[in-house]
Each structure stands twice: as structure tokens, then as C-alpha cells.
């Protein structure tokens, strides 16, 4: 029987904070010193990171299937070792071959050790009742950049980028591995439809029957597009936000303010989901989340750059909610059976678009300048339209 849910959520959330801080958020701080030391360019270092995202897309479905059968503990423990090996290899690399190999190893870890794996671990333990735990994980790991960027910057300034990678590798062995090892063991077999010792199910998740086979592929394709479109926008803005805001007419100070507002808005939205919005079906939460970025972009483009901070707030809130709905919406629509493998397949296109976003949106920004926001707004509107095509209640299977 699983241990207390808050303790499990705290372990997973802390391990996720470490995983995100030492992988996804690492290039923002270390790409430039890596490029200088290795005699290459920052775009080349970012290309290696993009390769890791593509590798993660390929690994995700298999990792999810393993969690469905064996639980998350063994997968996440192995992932801690993979992260440590990849970071150690990154710190020791002496040229481009070593750089790309290290990021491929990190891509293996990212495909089996980031949010999708943590969500699948909770679903394997609690079935349909995992919604509040998924929100809890995102609340904790939402501070990954807040912790990771300053720590990486401080370590790099004092000891260099190689030692920084080594320090992150050590943290995976000394902190991440024990946290994942303390997760409950589960026997082989399918996930429970309901957790044996969990509290009463949230009505929005438990009341939704799973879709009929004829509708499941339609829903899978819709969600794949929604996740791919929204993750492209999130990655594009994370990479190009200051330049994009200035191209749209905002000052440098305003552009920095917009970036500073995104993080708090994400956390505030997740707190709102944990409280009031958890009473709603996740599909309604997803529709709200996808509408926020197009609303903010439209206000900035049609009214003026003075609305740029509003875009930061709305974009951040939408991202915060979307991170949760990527875990809760498939659970509500399809149920807990095969959840991990399904998550891997649903997120595979999103990981590819995420890998392409920095370069692709950079080219769009070069050509369209501030009007590039119409592209991200259009993607958001298309995602919202796709979600409106899905019924809140689906046919029983």
C-alpha cells in the first residue's frame, strides 16, 4: 500500500526540481562558457540540447510503458544514474563528439525522468485519484528555474562550467537517487483504477468515463496537437522573449519585467488549480489555459506595448495550467490503464516541436519582428479550437 500521498508528492516534486534544473534549464547559463571552452558556437551547443529533446521523445513511450507495468521507482532510480552519467560526461567532454554524446545520454534521462514519468508514477500508485498529486508536483518543481539558474550561475562563476556539471551530477547521486529510492514499491501488473487507500476521488476526474475505441484516436490526435502547439510557444518565448518584446515596441526595462512576471504567474495559476479550478473538469481548465496566451498577445498587438506586462501574466498563467493539464487531462479522458505509455506517445510530437522552436521561431522573428506574436497567438487559437472539439464527457468503454 502506498505511503502518505504528501510525502510521495514531496519526494517526486523535489526530485523533479533537481531534474529540470540540471537539464532543461542548464543551457541558458552554461551554453556560452561551454562554447568558448570547446571552440564552438552557442547555436552548436543548443543544437546538442535540441538533439537531447528529440531523444527524449523517442524514449518517452517505452519509459511510460515500463512505469505502467513496474511502477515509477525502478525507472526513476535508473534515471538518476543516467542523469549523473550524462552530466559527468558533459563536464569531461573535450570536443563536439563528447558534447553530443553527453546530451544524448541526458536525453535518455529526460525522456524517462521528467514530468511525464513523475505523473505516471503517481497514476500507477493512485489511479484516477492522482490529480491533486500531479498539481502538487508542478507546484514544487515550478521553482526549478528559480533554484537552478542562480545556483548554476554561482557555481560557474566560482568553479567553471565543468565543475558545475560535476556538482549537478553529484546531487543526482546524493539527493535524487535516494528520493526516488524512497518511493513505494509496486508489483508488476496494470495500474489500479482506484487507489486502495486514497481519499474520495475528485469529481471532475472520477466522473469522466473513458472514451470509446472509435473516439480514442481522435482525442489522442487532438491532445498531441494541443501539447505540441503550446509547448512550441512556451519554448519559443522562453528563448526569445526579451527580443520579441522589444520588437513589439516595449522598452528593455519592460521586456525584463515581462520575463520576471511569468514565473510568479505560473505558480499563482497552479495554486488556483489546486484550490478552485480542481472542481472543474480538466478539459475546461485546458481550454482556459490555451486561451490566455492569444488573449495577451492580441492585447499587446492591437492596443499597444503598454500591455506587454499583461501578456507576461497571461502567458505565465497559461503555461502554469498547461503543465498540470498535460498530466490530468489524459487521465480524465482515458483513465489510468496504460497511462504512462500514452503520455509518452502524446508528448513525443511536443518534444520534437520543442526542439525545433528556438531556431524556427528565431527565423520567424527575424522576418516578422513583433508581428511574430501573431504566429504564437494563432497556434494558441488552433489549440483552443481543437479542445472545443472534444466533449467534456466521453462515451464509456
Amino acid at each position: 500500500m502506498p505511503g502518505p500521498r504528501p510525502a510521495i508528492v514531496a519526494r517526486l516534486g523535489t526530485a523533479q526540481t533537481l531534474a529540470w534544473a540540471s537539464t532543461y534549464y542548464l543551457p541558458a547559463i552554461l551554453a556560452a562558457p561551454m562554447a568558448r571552452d570547446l571552440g564552438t558556437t552557442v547555436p552548436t551547443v543548443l543544437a546538442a540540447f535540441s538533439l537531447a529533446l528529440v531523444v527524449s521523445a523517442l524514449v518517452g513511450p517505452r519509459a511510460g510503458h515500463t512505469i505502467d507495468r513496474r511502477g515509477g521507482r525502478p525507472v526513476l532510480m535508473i534515471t538518476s544514474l543516467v542523469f549523473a552519467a550524462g552530466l559527468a560526461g558533459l563536464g569531461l567532454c573535450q570536443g563536439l563528439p563528447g558534447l553530443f554524446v553527453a546530451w544524448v545520454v541526458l536525453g535518455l534521462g529526460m525522456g524517462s525522468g521528467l514530468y511525464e514519468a513523475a505523473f505516471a508514477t503517481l497514476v500507477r500508485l493512485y489511479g484516477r485519484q492522482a490529480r491533486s498529486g500531479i498539481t502538487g508536483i508542478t507546484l514544487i518543481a515550478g521553482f526549478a528555474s528559480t533554484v537552478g539558474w542562480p545556483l548554476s550561475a554561482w557555481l560557474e562563476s566560482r568553479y567553471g562550467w565543468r565543475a558545475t556539471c560535476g556538482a549537478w551530477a553529484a546531487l543526482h547521486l546524493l539527493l535524487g537517487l535516494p528520493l526516488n529510492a524512497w518511493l513505494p514499491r509496486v508489483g508488476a501488473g496494470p495500474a489500479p483504477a482506484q487507489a486502495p487507500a486514497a481519499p474520495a476521488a475528485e469529481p471532475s476526474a472520477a466522473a469522466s468515463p473513458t472514451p470509446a475505441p472509435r473516439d480514442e484516436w481522435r482525442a489522442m490526435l487532438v491532445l498531441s496537437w494541443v501539447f505540441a502547439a503550446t509547448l512550441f510557444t512556451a519554448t519559443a518565448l522562453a528563448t526569445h522573449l526579451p527580443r520579441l518584446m522589444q520588437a513589439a515596441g516595449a522598452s528593455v526595462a519592460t521586456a525584463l519585467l515581462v520575463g520576471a512576471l511569468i514565473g510568479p504567474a505560473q505558480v499563482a495559476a497552479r495554486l488556483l488549480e489546486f484550490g478552485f479550478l480542481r472542481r472543474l473538469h480538466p478539459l475546461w481548465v485546458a481550454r482556459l489555459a490555451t486561451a490566455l496566451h492569444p488573449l495577451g498577445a492580441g492585447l499587446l498587438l492591437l492596443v499597444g506595448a503598454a500591455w506587454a506586462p499583461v501578456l507576461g501574466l497571461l502567458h505565465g498563467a497559461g503555461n502554469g495550467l498547461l503543465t498540470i493539464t498535460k498530466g490530468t487531462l489524459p487521465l480524465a479522458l482515458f483513465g489510468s490503464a496504460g497511462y504512462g505509455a500514452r503520455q509518452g506517445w502524446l508528448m513525443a510530437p511536443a518534444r520534437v516541436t520543442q526542439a525545433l522552436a528556438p531556431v524556427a521561431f528565431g527565423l520567424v522573428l527575424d522576418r516578422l519582428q513583433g508581428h511574430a506574436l501573431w504566429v504564437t497567438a494563432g497556434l494558441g487559437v488552433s489549440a483552443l479550437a481543437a479542445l472545443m472539439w472534444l466533449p467534456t464527457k466521453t462515451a464509456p468503454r
Side-chain angles (χ1 to χ4, degrees), residues 34-40 88-102 161-162:
M34 281 181 187
R36 287 195 301 269
D37 192 37
L38 296 175
T40 186
L90 191 61
L92 294 172
C93 72
Q94 298 299 318
L96 292 184
L99 174 73
F100 277 82
V101 169
W161 70 270
R162 295 183 184 276

Side-chain angles (χ1 to χ4, degrees), residues 25 138-139 142-146 149 241 256-271 312-317 319-320:
Y25 292 112
T138 65
L139 280 172
F143 292 97
S145 61
T146 306
W149 281 340
L241 182 66
L256 294 176
L257 174 62
V258 173
L261 290 173
I262 290 176
Q266 289 184 151
V267 174
R270 289 169 183 170
L271 288 171
L313 290 171
L314 293 177
H315 175 76
N319 270 350

